[in-house]
Amino acid sequence: MSANAQDQQERQAHVRRIEQMRRILGQDIARLFDDSSVVEIMANPDGQIFVERLGSGVAHLGEIDASRVQSLLGLMADYLHTTVSRDRPIVEGAMPIEFLRSRFAGAIPPMVEGASFSIRLPARSVYTLEQYVEAGIITAAQLELITEAVATRKNILVSGGTGSGKTTLSNALIDWISRMSDMGTRIVIIEDTRELQCTAPNVVQFLTDDDANIDMTRLLKLTLRYRPDRILVGEVRDKAALALLKAWNTGHPGGIATLHANNPEAALLRLDQLCQEAGVPPQQTLIHEAVDIVLQIARDQSHPAGRQISAVFDVKANRIEGF
């Protein structure tokens, strides 16, 4: 078979796979990928579908049959060149471009009672800091502290639990940075999946690549050769934390990164633990020098928006501000 014939065959197979995915998802779910306010689509083991939108929290959408979810996981596994079975019940990876390269995570029995999935859609519209204030997620006093920290190029760690809105908040901070940046302000962004949005005029965005063995640590070292003014990072999960802190602490202030933790103190402890994965002793001094603000966002079911800024922690002063 010629190369052209093989390429055509692969394209046709891809088109069929996309059509199958859309058919399995159904019109109600498939159209959510065209809704810029949607950030998460979740199918529970009992078949209930929930959707999270910017600024309005989680809402029930409807139901989906378990066999359809199982078929979708099979198609995703095929697309990712892997399998899903009783012995390998988890499917994780980026969806095809037709689904915006959304982050897909799914599982089948016996790991869960029924086949389920969660799809994290990339940000397509930015929920601004002003909108956070309008929604009551951020107070006016907190807004003043946050915008001053961004303007004076403080290094900000955005901390929160699962589904708390860390990435959405980071994009709001980056939007503020973009507004004040000129051609001479060079911003470098590093992440595992493209979720951060930056409209500044001078931006370089890097993505990690597991297949090519290019991790966040390697990209952070490369970043320093790209003359960055600000270094922005998606979620820090491993020993790359050490490289990030060193970069922030060597003439590159004004950075932003996210971290999974339930309060500012836990975030700093978690950051130290991640640094130690690089085989170094505790790094409290480096952390204190490199991190200026921990911005804590938390899920709050009693709040209309479903979340709230619970702390603006000044690391240098060792106190919570803005309350």
Side-chain angles (χ1 to χ4, degrees), residues 1-14:
M1 182 185 296
S2 68
N4 286 341
Q6 186 174 358
D7 287 345
Q8 184 176 0
Q9 191 177 65
E10 290 176 356
R11 284 196 296 270
Q12 290 172 343
H14 179 75

Side-chain angles (χ1 to χ4, degrees), residues 19-221:
E19 289 175 348
Q20 286 178 286
M21 286 183 175
R22 291 190 186 280
R23 189 164 55 249
I24 288 168
L25 287 169
Q27 190 176 37
D28 287 346
I29 299 176
R31 66 161 61 103
L32 295 175
F33 290 90
D34 298 320
D35 185 341
S36 61
S37 70
V38 174
V39 295
E40 193 104 23
I41 305 169
M42 298 156 279
N44 287 351
D46 61 1
Q48 301 301 312
I49 299 288
F50 293 88
V51 178
E52 181 176 9
R53 287 181 168 85
L54 282 172
S56 58
V58 176
H60 183 254
L61 179 71
E63 298 181 22
I64 186 171
D65 187 76
S67 62
R68 288 167 58 193
V69 178
Q70 184 105 12
S71 296
L72 180 64
L73 266 66
L75 286 169
M76 271 302 301
D78 181 60
Y79 171 71
L80 296 169
H81 306 294
T82 185
T83 60
V84 58
S85 64
R86 186 178 182 85
D87 296 329
R88 302 184 67 177
I90 298 174
V91 180
E92 289 184 287
M95 298 185 75
I97 187 64
E98 291 83 356
F99 295 99
L100 311 176
R101 299 287 188 203
S102 301
R103 278 194 319 191
F104 184 94
I108 64 170
M111 178 164 285
V112 287
E113 291 184 7
S116 62
F117 65 75
S118 182
I119 300 173
R120 171 66 61 86
L121 281 69
R124 288 153 291 164
S125 62
V126 173
Y127 198 68
T128 67
L129 289 176
E130 292 91 341
Q131 288 174 304
Y132 272 96
V133 174
E134 290 171 9
I137 301 171
I138 292 177
T139 67
Q142 290 171 343
L143 177 65
E144 185 176 350
L145 286 168
I146 292 166
T147 54
E148 182 183 2
V150 172
T152 56
R153 297 187 62 181
K154 303 294 187 184
N155 290 322
I156 301 173
L157 190 64
V158 178
S159 170
T162 302
S164 58
K166 297 185 294 294
T167 301
T168 303
L169 179 55
S170 293
N171 274 325
L173 297 174
I174 294 169
D175 170 67
W176 196 272
I177 288 172
S178 298
R179 297 187 219 175
M180 65 175 60
S181 297
D182 56 21
M183 291 289 184
T185 303
R186 187 162 173 80
I187 298 169
V188 178
I189 299 174
I190 301 172
E191 49 191 335
D192 294 321
T193 305
R194 198 174 295 282
E195 294 182 307
L196 299 180
Q197 288 189 319
C198 184
T199 58
N202 190 349
V203 182
V204 179
Q205 289 188 265
F206 289 116
L207 286 177
T208 61
D209 188 332
D210 291 338
D211 293 336
N213 197 30
I214 299 174
D215 60 13
M216 196 166 282
T217 299
R218 185 173 176 184
L219 288 179
L220 279 161
K221 291 177 180 177

Side-chain angles (χ1 to χ4, degrees), residues 13 17 74 119 180 185-186 190 211 217 225 236 250 291-292 305-306 311 314 316:
R17 184 188 294 117
I119 300 173
M180 65 175 60
T185 303
R186 187 162 173 80
I190 301 172
D211 293 336
T217 299
R225 300 187 179 95
V236 182
T250 53
V291 180
D292 297 298
D314 186 325
K316 303 294 190 289

